[in-house]
Amino acid sequence: MSRSRRKTPIFGHTTARSEADDKRLWHKRWRSRERDQLASLGPDGDPLPVHRQAVSSTWDMAKDGKHWFDPRRQREMAERIATRRSP
């Protein structure tokens, strides 16, 4: 596996291991708003979808966006890390 590499070198800015809890809470809030909106409509009402930014912001989650990692710099960085780790 020493030659394996990412197909798309995009990484999230994070210190968190996973964003699963944040996504679970977001979807729970979103579904709740959708249910409330559908319950408040009459039989002839036309429901409008709840916009994702009305419920939460991606900047409130554990990962703060994504960053493109330049593949050309990957080799340089790998060599630097290897020389630091070797005795």
Side-chain angles (χ1 to χ4, degrees):
M1 295 298 289
S2 64
R3 296 178 188 207
S4 63
R5 61 184 175 92
R6 280 181 171 259
K7 186 175 182 180
T8 307
I10 297 176
F11 300 93
H13 296 288
T14 184
T15 56
R17 241 175 126 67
S18 174
E19 229 180 352
D21 292 334
D22 291 333
K23 289 180 180 180
R24 198 173 300 118
L25 286 171
W26 177 82
H27 280 97
K28 186 176 181 179
R29 274 190 229 124
W30 183 72
R31 286 191 304 266
S32 173
R33 292 255 179 109
E34 286 276 325
R35 255 193 322 271
D36 292 345
Q37 187 180 26
L38 289 172
S40 67
L41 288 175
D44 298 333
D46 192 23
L48 294 173
V50 176
H51 195 270
R52 65 188 302 177
Q53 294 297 340
V55 179
S56 179
S57 172
T58 54
W59 293 102
D60 292 339
M61 295 186 179
K63 289 185 183 175
D64 291 335
K66 295 184 178 182
H67 177 73
W68 174 267
F69 184 74
D70 187 10
R72 288 175 281 169
R73 289 188 52 219
Q74 187 172 6
R75 171 171 259 148
E76 298 167 13
M77 231 173 160
E79 289 172 357
R80 246 186 297 149
I81 290 170
T83 55
R84 250 189 286 164
R85 288 188 180 176
S86 64

